Amino acid sequence: MSFSMSRRQFAATSAALSLASLVPSGLFGDVSNSRRVVIRANSEIGLVRPEFHGQFAEHLGSCVYGGIWVGKDSPIPNINGYRREVVDYLRELGVPVLRWPGGCFADDYHWRDGVGPAAQRPKRVNIHWGGYVEDNSFGTHEFIAFCRLIGAEPYLAGNVGSGSPAEMRQWVEYCNYPSGSSLAEERAANGSPEPFHVRYWGVGNESWGCGGAMDPEGYADLFRRFGVYLRASHFGGTRPFLVASGPNRNDARWSRGVMDGMRPRMQPDGFSMHYYENGASAPTEFTPETMNAQLARFADMEQAIVQQRALLNGYDHGDSIGLIVDEWGVWDRMIPEEERNYGRLWQQSTMRSAVGAGLGLNIFNRQADKLFMCNIAQIVNVLQSLLLTDGPEGRHCIRTTTYYAFMLFKPHRAKTAVRVETEDSSPLDLSASASKDDREMVVSLVNPRYDLDMNVECRIEDARLTQATAQILHDADYNACNTFDHPDRITLKDHPVHVTTTGLQLDLPRLSVVTVRAALG
Ligand code: AHR
């Protein structure tokens, strides 16, 4: 939850320097639009792990096939089969970690199907996402090579629902054993003598649902069983970091059931929570009511992070388990024609979506001490994606509003999050977060209101700013988006910000995400 205080408390704890005394009257218009924020530079929360900006790619719709992977012989410009624009845009953004191959797909995926000569790989049916024939041309080697190309750390989701401990342990050996075993030799023969050094391993996905419809006790038994063999698969200096299937949203019953079934030294390293912010409208047809209902769900996610963290901490050594928001983002009502043309769960990203991304990323900064990793769903073409293509055959590739929201938060990576206090903690008011290192303070502000332009005064405690620059992502129309015809309708723009004797002042128009980078004196 955001650390907030009432207007009265704010006035009492703030040095009595009013906005009016700092700027000529009238500069910021209606004072009822003014918002005050206190940033406590010495009150450190924790590291903004770059992994908070992680991504997820599933064999679903046109995320992998046609999105990331077009094949080496495609007329679409590509680098060894990877869509060139996807590679270029993701490199520019930087993808700290990429989770694959699902999602629901993971618990029906058998890794052996995706190695060896592509022409000889078996054809399977993707039962979760439309019953199409999966030719397995994108497998482990193709995924790892993509990660290397964009600079992402690979995160493999293993099959618990329909797989076995032996199958998953062999996948670990195939990936990580340096040389000499038959599996390592097979990897070398398939083109990769060097081990892949995969550290992150998901032990099932949504095991309460598409990953086997288990009860938490049954899943805990399975996790321990898989864990015995996976933990021992500590090859070539890469210790597997095992991620357990955690709750849907804030489901405490699931989390307690799983944790009660753990034993000392058998606990997971990570605990995967899924938190989608569902919306009742199609992406470009939101109303103020449906938008507000969806954006308000981000506050519920923040509460879930706080409560699930506390739940884990209640167990012996529970505080060493990394809480992972493994799938998150806005999940709108799909448009059947778009799904037909462009693939399952293809979803436009609008200014509303970008505001949602900003709210989520602010939460991760504010709860930096409680989180290990967060992966938005999904990287290309599916749900709240960073990039969209016009179908698997389409030549267009555009950066979505969500891509630009992530760009705005990039300067926070590897900085230390510090406490920020806002006057109003309601889910649909100003959202703020800040981080710093020795030289710079980074402040991100989100105005989720569609009907109110704000004027923001940030008072910085325990630090002095010398100069600042800001960038903004904004459109007054919550349904506005980047399209194949107008790919640059909503992009980052420079935005005025004033350094004052006490901090910063800036305008925050309705529906905007802003990041300020300020030099520390
Ligand atoms: O991201 C789409 C789906 O949502 C995933 O396959 C599943 O894990 C979740 O229910």
Side-chain angles (χ1 to χ4, degrees), residues 265-504:
R265 289 189 295 283
M266 288 206 158
Q267 286 183 341
D269 303 295
F271 203 64
S272 153
M273 164 203 274
H274 289 190
Y275 209 112
Y276 284 102
E277 288 75 17
N278 293 91
S281 300
T284 53
E285 293 167 9
F286 270 74
T287 64
E289 292 72 33
T290 56
M291 175 177 66
N292 284 346
Q294 183 180 55
L295 294 180
R297 299 208 164 97
F298 283 90
D300 300 336
M301 177 168 78
E302 185 162 22
Q303 192 174 41
I305 291 168
V306 171
Q307 293 180 354
Q308 291 286 327
R309 179 73 270 165
L311 187 153
L312 292 176
N313 289 356
Y315 289 85
D316 273 354
H317 308 295
D319 54 355
S320 62
I321 300 174
L323 182 60
I324 297 178
V325 186
D326 234 352
E327 295 183 22
W328 70 279
V330 296
W331 187 322
D332 305 335
R333 194 162 56 69
M334 294 300 144
I335 300 176
E337 196 192 336
E338 284 183 348
E339 284 199 286
R340 261 194 311 278
N341 291 341
Y342 301 145
R344 288 293 293 275
L345 302 193
W346 190 96
Q347 180 179 291
Q348 223 340 326
S349 187
T350 64
M351 191 58 226
R352 163 195 51 82
S353 323
V355 165
L359 294 176
L361 295 169
N362 263 348
I363 289 169
F364 303 153
N365 285 349
R366 290 199 296 263
Q367 306 302 341
D369 54 339
K370 303 180 184 65
L371 291 167
F372 185 82
M373 183 193 290
C374 310
N375 300 315
I376 195 166
Q378 297 191 7
I379 192 164
V380 185
N381 281 336
V382 169
L383 298 174
Q384 189 168 1
S385 63
L386 301 185
L387 304 173
L388 286 174
T389 70
D390 48 346
E393 315 288 323
R395 282 176 170 263
H396 292 103
C397 177
I398 58 170
R399 285 163 286 187
T400 66
T401 56
T402 297
Y403 177 95
Y404 290 110
F406 268 71
M407 266 293 188
L408 278 177
F409 280 76
K410 193 174 168 181
H412 288 287
R413 292 182 194 169
K415 289 197 169 59
T416 301
V418 296
R419 270 181 232 289
V420 173
E421 296 161 13
T422 52
E423 294 168 281
D424 185 337
S425 64
S426 60
L428 297 174
D429 207 88
L430 172 68
S431 154
S433 74
S435 66
K436 62 155 197 192
D437 61 15
D438 292 344
R439 287 171 295 131
E440 186 181 52
M441 171 158 288
V442 182
V443 182
S444 287
L445 302 162
V446 181
N447 180 354
R449 293 279 300 264
Y450 69 93
D451 54 354
L452 186 79
D453 300 323
M454 297 176 180
N455 316 308
V456 181
E457 178 203 346
C458 294
R459 189 158 60 76
I460 317 279
E461 301 252 301
D462 307 316
R464 203 177 66 80
L465 308 182
T466 53
Q467 54 103 10
T469 57
Q471 284 202 303
I472 189 169
L473 188 67
H474 160 66
D475 198 300
D477 176 359
Y478 41 82
N479 285 325
C481 54
N482 295 335
T483 63
F484 301 116
D485 290 336
H486 301 285
D488 299 322
R489 169 161 179 177
I490 307 174
T491 58
L492 299 183
K493 302 202 170 47
D494 291 340
H495 187 63
V497 56
H498 309 283
V499 174
T500 68
T501 48
T502 54
L504 298 165

Side-chain angles (χ1 to χ4, degrees), residues 56 58 60 103-104 129 205-206 274 276 327 331 378 383:
F56 166 40
E58 181 166 13
L60 194 181
C104 296
W129 302 114
N205 169 78
E206 295 193 352
H274 289 190
Y276 284 102
E327 295 183 22
W331 187 322
Q378 297 191 7
L383 298 174

